[in-house]
Amino acid sequence: MATTKGNKRVYLTWTDEMDAALLAVLVEHHNNGDHAQNGWKPHVYNAAIRNVREKCNVEITKDNIASRCKTFDKHYEVISKILSQSGFGWDWVNDKLLIDSDDVWNKYMEANKSAACYKNKVVKNWDAISTIYSKDHANGQGAQTGAESAQVLPEQVDDASPDLPQKKQRTGEAILSILGDMKTSFNDSLKSTEPLPMPSVTSPAEILATLQMVPDLARSDMLKSYGKFILNERLFQALLELPMDMRKEWLLLLN
């Protein structure tokens, strides 16, 4: 992105380190509900500017962040649409699309030529990007294929009454009452077999992003804490309740 300084245009080049520092802040504040429909709340920009300065020794502005967020948003829009189609997945090792075959890609290109550059495009921090921009974040997961994210709900039976001859259906209120009881019992039995909602679990990317924001936390201490929080959701939630200046001391006590 280009910014004006005096009469000169200064171009900001985003590095992987800067992206990681920015997204770490955005993920945390997204989880705190600071991501409104019209953008981020003012204190989020200030926190992001400060974190990029501390981690990367680079000065950025609110406009820089807004411009970078548009890039992340475009990545999410294009990639999530691709992943919703059969034959595509995400390569978490190489940070790019997994494509079953050239035929799958060529067929997709017939109606989506603007996505051509994403065939071999490396997009790092996909887990964080999908966390921030996914409308389905309630399930606590990042990128998924359409088959993985689709949930098939059991169909409700509108009429569980057996087909009866017309004459028997007119025998009176007694039979109608019995059939009504049968329908209620049958529907209740269906409800009892419906899957229970899965508890919300924080993704590994969110845990790592939160730990990376703790000032002066050694790499070894970060990894020890990461291992604990992966296995203990309640312990991680306790960390989030602490103010930032108390988190390092508490983590060291845990380790």
Side-chain angles (χ1 to χ4, degrees), residues 34-65:
D34 294 332
H35 194 183
Q37 289 184 347
N38 58 346
W40 297 96
K41 296 181 179 179
H43 68 276
V44 179
Y45 290 104
N46 294 334
I49 290 171
R50 183 168 57 253
N51 198 46
V52 172
R53 181 194 304 127
E54 293 174 355
K55 297 289 179 62
C56 310
N57 195 29
V58 177
E59 291 291 339
I60 61 173
T61 66
K62 177 181 176 180
D63 288 341
N64 294 143
I65 295 173

Side-chain angles (χ1 to χ4, degrees), residues 140 172 245:
D245 60 352

Side-chain angles (χ1 to χ4, degrees), residues 79-80 82-85 88-90 92 126 130 139 141-150:
I79 295 175
S80 62
I82 294 174
L83 292 177
S84 70
Q85 307 300 311
F88 296 97
W90 187 253
W92 294 100
W126 172 245
S130 59
N139 61 13
Q141 298 184 14
Q144 296 180 333
T145 63
E148 292 171 334
S149 61

